[in-house]
Amino acid sequence: MNRTPFSLFAALWLAGAGAVSAVENTPLPPGKLRTSGSASAVYSGNGALTVTINRPHSNPEIRIFAPEGGKYWDMSRGKYFAADVTNLSHDRQARLFLLLRTEVPGNKGHLNAGIALNPGETRTLRVALPHQWKYATPEKIPGQRTIDTARIVSIDFNLKGWYEPLEPELVRCRLSNIRLEGKLTPEENASPIHMKGFYPFSDLYGQYVHGDWPEKIHSDADLKKEFEREKAELAASVRPAEWDEYGGWKNGPQLAATGSFRVEKYKGKWYFVDPAGHLFFSHGLDVLIKHTDPVKIDGHEHWFPAEIKPWVYSHRGATCYQATERSLQVKYGKKDYDDDFYKTLAKRLEHWGFNSVGDWGSPDLMAQGKTPYTLQLTDFDWTMPRLGKKFYDVYDPVYQDKMKNLFKIAAERNPMVYKSVDDPMCIGYFIDNELDFGNRRNFAFLRDVMTASADKSAKKAFVAGLRVKYGTVEALNKAWETGYRDWEALLSSNTVPKSRGLRIDMEQFFSRTVELYFRMCRDAVKSAAPDRLYLGCRFLSLDATRPELAVPCAKYADVSSSNIYGHTPANFRVEGMPDRPILIGEFQFSTSLPGRGRFAPNIVAGSTEKERATAYLRYLQGALLHPNIVGAHWFQFRDQPLTGRSDGEGFQTGFVDIADTPYREMTAMSREIGENMYRYRINGKYSDGMKSE
C-alpha cells in the first residue's frame, strides 16, 4: 500500500516545524493587558501569559496592546507571528482564536488564526504575516487579504463563535515565547503591484502566476505525470481493514441489522448504525463534484492568459472560463470524462479514509454505489414567502404546499432522490442550510412579525392566536399596554410596542412557528422515505445550542446537523440540550500565506499544510470523543477559484487544489483517521496520533 504512515507524517511535520523555528526569532515584549467578558490573563515572572476563559459568553477576550511608549506593534519585518501555546487542562481539549487587529474595521483589516490542543499539549500557533508592502496588488483584484503589519493595534485571543457550555475554566492556556520568526527586508521583497508584467496573474490552470510551490502545475505534462503517480497509488491501496461494505466498524459490536441506516446510543455515545448492524461514524466531504464555480472574465480579460480563448464559453449570459474543466479533460484525455472521474473519486474517498458523501455531492458519484451518501432535498429557497432575513413564512399556503410535495420536487431535479428511497447506501436527508430563524440580534423575529403587512400569513396566524388567548382587543391592550382600536388595527400596524406582554406572546408564537417548521420537514421526509433519516437543517454553530431551536429539532429530526466553524467541537454544548445525535455538516481550515497561490485564508490553522493537517486531526479527535457527535463533513472537496466564486469567496479549503492535485498532507491524515476512528472513539482517550494504546 503506497501511502504515508502516521509515524512518517509526524516526523515530516516535526522536521517542518523545526525548520521554521530555526530561523531568526524576535521576541515580542510583554504588552499592556485588557480583558473583557469572562476572560482573565496574568503575566508570570518569565513573561509567559496564563489565559483563562470562564463561562464563555458576552464575548470574552484578552487584548495585548503595545508596551508603554508605543501605540502599535510593528511586525512589518517578520515572516511569521508565532506563540507557543500549552493547554493546562488535564482532561479536555482547548481551542483559542488569535486576532491581529488593525485600525481598519472588519475582516479585511484583521488577520485571524487559531489552534486546538489536546489535554496537556504544547504546540506553536504560527501564522504567516500578509504584509501590504509585500503582497498588495492592484485594486479590485480578489484574493489574499493584506494588512498594515507596521500598525497592529493589538494581539487578541478569544473563542469567536462561542458554542461551548457556561462552565468555569473552560479554557485555561499558557502563552509563551510570543515572537516574530524570520526576517524580511521590504526593499528586497517588492509587492507584485510593482512587478513589470503583473497581468495576467492567473495561468491556464487557474493558479496564481506570481507564486510557486512544489506541486504547482506548469504544463500539461505535469498534469499527466501527477495523475499517473496518483493512479499507481490508488491501484496499490486497500480498503481500511476495520471497515465493512458501508464503512462501518466490521470488527466492532454486532447490533441489529435493519437494512437501513439508523441511530443508536452505545456505551454512552451516539452512533449511526449501518444497514449491516455495525457502528458507523460519518467521515465525509462536501461538494464532491467535478468542479465548482466558473470564473467570469467579462471586463477583466487581462487577468488571464491568451491561451484560455479556446476554452471560454457563455454561462448565464456571462463569458466564463473553467480552469478545472480543462485540466480534467487533459488528465483523462477526453472531453467526456465524467464516468472515469467519478470512478476515480470513489476510489479516492476510500483511499483517503472517507466513508461518506456529504452535502451537495454529485449523483454520478452516488450512483457508483461505493460510498454511503447524504442528500439535500432543498437548500434555502429564496422564491418562497419569507419572514426576516433567511427564514420562511411557514404559515403561507404556498410554502406549505411546497413542503407537502418537496420529495417529488427534489426527485424531478435529481433522480437519485427517487433511487435513495430503496437504496441502503442513503444515510438520509438535509433540508435547508444555515437558516436565520430570527432569534439572533435582539429577537428580530418579533420585529419581522410586527412590521409585516396585514396580508402576511405569519402575522395573520399570530393575531388569530391572540384573539383566542385574549378574547377581546381590550384584554390584549391591557396585557400589552397598548391602545389598538380593534383587531384589524393590530393587523395593519407596523409599529413595535415596547411591552413585556408582547415579548411573552411572541416567544410563544416563535416556539409554535419553529415546531411547525421542523414538523413539516419531518413529514416531507418520512411520508416519502420512512426508512431514511431526517438529518435536520444544518444549524450554524451557536444556533444548535439554543434550547428554543434544539428542543423542537430533536422532537422531529433523527439527527441534529450543525456547521461548526471553530478549531474543535470537543466542548460543544450538550448540557441542558436534548440528548440527540449531532452531525457536523461543515468545517474547514486554510493555511495562511504563502499557501498555494493567492487563495484567501478563512479559518486559519497555521502557515503550512502540515499544520493544517494537524488541525484536521485535532478537530476529528474532538468530534470522536464527543458523546453526541456521530460524524463530521469537511467543506469542501476542492479549493474555490483563485478569483472567487459567484459570491466572492475564494478560499483555500480543499482536499484537492484547483488543478485537481491532492493535498498529500491532508489525505495522509484523513486516511489515518479513517483507519483508526472507531477504536479511538471507543477508547475515549486523547492521544497525539490516532492509534490509541
Side-chain angles (χ1 to χ4, degrees), residues 228-246:
E228 291 303 315
R229 180 206 66 77
E230 187 185 4
K231 285 194 293 185
E233 182 179 281
L234 294 176
S237 177
V238 296
R239 190 175 180 83
E242 294 277 331
W243 288 12
D244 67 8
E245 65 269 36
Y246 300 99

Side-chain angles (χ1 to χ4, degrees), residues 2 19 27 42 98 114 130-131 133 148 221 255 276 302 327 329 389 398 405 420 424 449 512 520 544 637 642 655:
N2 183 14
V42 60
L98 163 72
H131 306 289
W133 62 262
D148 183 357
L255 306 182
H302 58 297
S327 293
Q329 289 187 24
K389 183 179 179 181
V398 174
N405 295 281
S420 67
V449 173
R512 295 196 300 273
M520 285 193 289
F637 165 61
L642 174 65
F655 264 70

Side-chain angles (χ1 to χ4, degrees), residues 15 19 142 155 179 188 350 356 370 508 535 546 575 647 661:
I155 304 167
R179 62 196 182 273
E188 296 177 359
E350 179 186 271
S356 301
K370 304 290 186 181
Q508 293 172 351
L535 303 174
R546 299 179 188 270
E575 294 79 359
D647 63 358
T661 304

Side-chain angles (χ1 to χ4, degrees), residues 239-267:
R239 190 175 180 83
E242 294 277 331
W243 288 12
D244 67 8
E245 65 269 36
Y246 300 99
W249 192 11
K250 178 176 63 177
N251 301 322
Q254 179 65 57
L255 306 182
T258 64
S260 299
F261 278 92
R262 57 188 177 86
V263 288
E264 184 173 325
K265 201 168 189 179
Y266 178 80
K267 291 190 174 180

